[in-house]
């Protein structure tokens, strides 16, 4: 069983709570980073909290939820060592682990229903990085630095 950090803003808290309960039923150790209510909060705070736990090795994987799954993924991806991916179905959840070695799954409560979210999360957890031709690509992602301007900006 995995150690998983979970977090959500107010627009994703209900789905996060369903998924945290699902993970615990499966026997996973879940660190719930909040939020715990419907009061308006900022998704970057919770994306960062989850990402920092993953990057520090306090959690093997992360789960983030906001309204779309996009903003919280952007925030999580600012933390070095984190590869957060927004998914919308079982296939994208499986492939982001297999091809991108994603370590944080992001979902949108306004876009994905609870049962599909559980299935996608299960697929994410069951999949493993395939390496091979994907390895050098993931290494290139990991080598990028925030704000890095290595390309000619005039082109």
């Amino acid at each position: 069983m995995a150690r998983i950090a979970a977090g959500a803003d107010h627009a994703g808290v209900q789905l996060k709570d369903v998924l945290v309960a699902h993970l615990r039923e499966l026997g996973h150790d879940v660190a719930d980073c909040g939020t715990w209510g419907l009061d308006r909060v900022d998704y970057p705070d919770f994306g960062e909290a989850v990402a920092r736990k993953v990057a520090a090795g306090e959690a093997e994987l992360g789960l983030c939820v906001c309204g779309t799954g996009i903003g919280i993924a952007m925030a999580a991806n600012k933390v070095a060592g984190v590869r957060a991916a927004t998914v919308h179905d079982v296939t994208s959840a499986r492939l982001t682990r297999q091809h991108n070695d994603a370590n944080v799954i992001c979902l949108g409560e306004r876009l994905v229903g609870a049962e599909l979210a559980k299935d996608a999360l299960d697929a994410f957890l069951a999949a493993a990085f395939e390496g091979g031709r994907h390895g050098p690509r993931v290494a290139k992602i990991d080598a990028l630095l925030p704000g890095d301007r290595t390309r000619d900006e005039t082109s």
Side-chain angles (χ1 to χ4, degrees), residues 8-131:
D9 70 354
H10 60 283
V13 66
Q14 292 174 327
L15 181 58
K16 180 210 40 132
D17 289 348
V18 167
L19 295 174
V20 165
H22 176 69
L23 289 168
R24 288 180 173 151
E25 286 172 7
L26 295 174
H28 295 286
D29 179 17
V30 181
D32 189 339
C33 300
T35 195
W36 300 278
L38 296 175
D39 292 336
R40 187 175 179 278
V41 294
D42 298 326
Y43 58 80
D45 299 335
F46 301 95
E48 179 187 10
V50 169
R52 294 227 179 267
K53 285 193 175 294
V54 172
E58 296 172 26
E60 297 160 54
L61 298 169
L63 163 66
C64 290
V65 187
C66 68
T68 63
I70 297 168
I72 204 163
M74 290 177 169
N77 277 318
K78 292 289 187 175
V79 177
V82 170
R83 289 175 304 281
T86 303
V87 304
H88 298 101
D89 54 39
V90 171
T91 301
S92 58
R94 177 178 49 81
L95 289 176
T96 199
R97 288 278 289 152
Q98 291 175 337
H99 294 189
N100 311 118
D101 200 18
N103 51 14
V104 177
I105 184 173
C106 302
L107 295 151
E109 182 174 316
R110 294 176 180 151
L111 304 177
V112 179
E115 292 309 310
L116 177 56
K118 285 186 215 175
D119 291 344
L121 181 57
D122 291 346
F124 181 82
L125 295 172
F129 182 52
E130 292 177 349

